[in-house]
Structure formats: structure tokens, C-alpha cells
Amino acid sequence: MGAAAPCTGCGEVAAEKADYTLRIGTGLVELAPGHIVSTTLYNGQFPGPLLRFREGQGVVVDVFNDNRHAGAVHWHGQMIPSNVDGAAEEGSPFVPAHGMRRIAFMPKPSASVFTIRMSRPGRPQPRHLHRQAGPVYIEPKNNPGAYDREVFLC
């Protein structure tokens, strides 16, 4: 992370390189032996990859939507501007089908949270859209903790 250090307005930004890239797509996942479901994937996996931010340090994320429906990434549990929150109820712009949106925000508060894919309200949603999530860890800016090993369980 470093492309978006100051994040003054936080929203869509022009930066040389994003800190993270998320590609929203669809695929099959075997939840248990013989139990295969169609679901939404981040970067080809479920759950999505661990995104690691630092509280109060700006971050830039490129979100590519490889689906045929517009959608957004909702940053659950974060106190960030509505234009990047990812919730339609908050007025966040959607990433168009087969489109891309670059967003920037200042993660806060520190927490172990997750992302979920959001669709436009009032439209029928494929069942798989409700099963998609990815872990997010926001390190505290003042007390990163003292530990020998981290294990993230999803």
C-alpha cells in the first residue's frame, strides 16, 4: 500500500497503481464433498482474498465487474464516504457490467470485517449474489499488536 497515502477527498481517484485489484466474477465452489454451488468470486476464489489495510492510511482499489449485472463492493463495518461505501441505499455508484471503477478511501476503524457484493435494490437477484464475501483486516494505527502468527478463518 502506498499509492494513495493522503486520500484527501476519498472517492474515485487517479493514481499510478492501485493498492489492490478485485475482479468480481462467477464460478463453481465445492462447499462440501459433492455439494457444488454457483457463487460470485473475488479474484477467482471464495472467499475472496484477504485485503489488509492500515487504519487511517488511504487505500486505492480497482474493482472490475466481470458479471453481466451491475454491482458494487460494500466495505462492511467501515466509516467511509457514501460514494465509495458500495451500498445503493447510501448512493454509491455501481460498477457497470463488464466495467471497472477505481475507488479510494481511508479505512477506519480498525477491525476484522468483510466485503460483500451488492446489487441494485428492487431487481431480481441471482441466488449466488448473496453468498459472496471476502475478509478485510484493518490494522490499528497505534497498536499493531505483538503476536507470532496470524491465522484468518473464513
Side-chain angles (χ1 to χ4, degrees), residues 61-126:
V61 181
D62 283 346
V63 180
F64 291 85
N65 182 4
D66 296 333
N67 289 306
R68 59 184 180 154
H69 303 285
V73 175
H74 172 56
W75 304 93
H76 210 275
Q78 290 295 286
M79 298 180 337
I80 58 178
S82 61
N83 65 326
V84 294
D85 180 73
E89 300 82 17
E90 299 296 325
S92 294
F94 277 80
V95 182
H98 305 290
M100 178 263 198
R101 181 170 181 236
R102 174 171 278 191
I103 61 170
F105 59 93
M106 190 81 64
K108 65 181 176 194
S110 61
S112 292
V113 292
F114 56 91
T115 59
I116 57 174
R117 185 186 189 293
M118 302 293 282
S119 293
R120 294 194 186 280
R123 291 191 179 169
Q125 298 182 15

Side-chain angles (χ1 to χ4, degrees), residues 41-64:
L41 309 173
Y42 281 155
N43 297 359
Q45 66 186 60
F46 178 85
L50 172 66
L51 303 181
R52 188 181 197 100
F53 305 147
R54 177 155 293 187
E55 180 183 21
Q57 181 176 331
V59 64
V60 175
V61 181
D62 283 346
V63 180
F64 291 85

Side-chain angles (χ1 to χ4, degrees), residues 4-53:
C7 191
T8 51
C10 291
E12 294 187 55
V13 296
E16 288 183 28
K17 184 175 183 276
D19 298 303
Y20 289 95
T21 298
L22 286 179
R23 293 200 80 94
I24 304 169
T26 304
L28 300 176
V29 173
E30 187 170 19
L31 296 178
H35 187 71
I36 298 171
V37 297
S38 174
T39 191
T40 303
L41 309 173
Y42 281 155
N43 297 359
Q45 66 186 60
F46 178 85
L50 172 66
L51 303 181
R52 188 181 197 100
F53 305 147

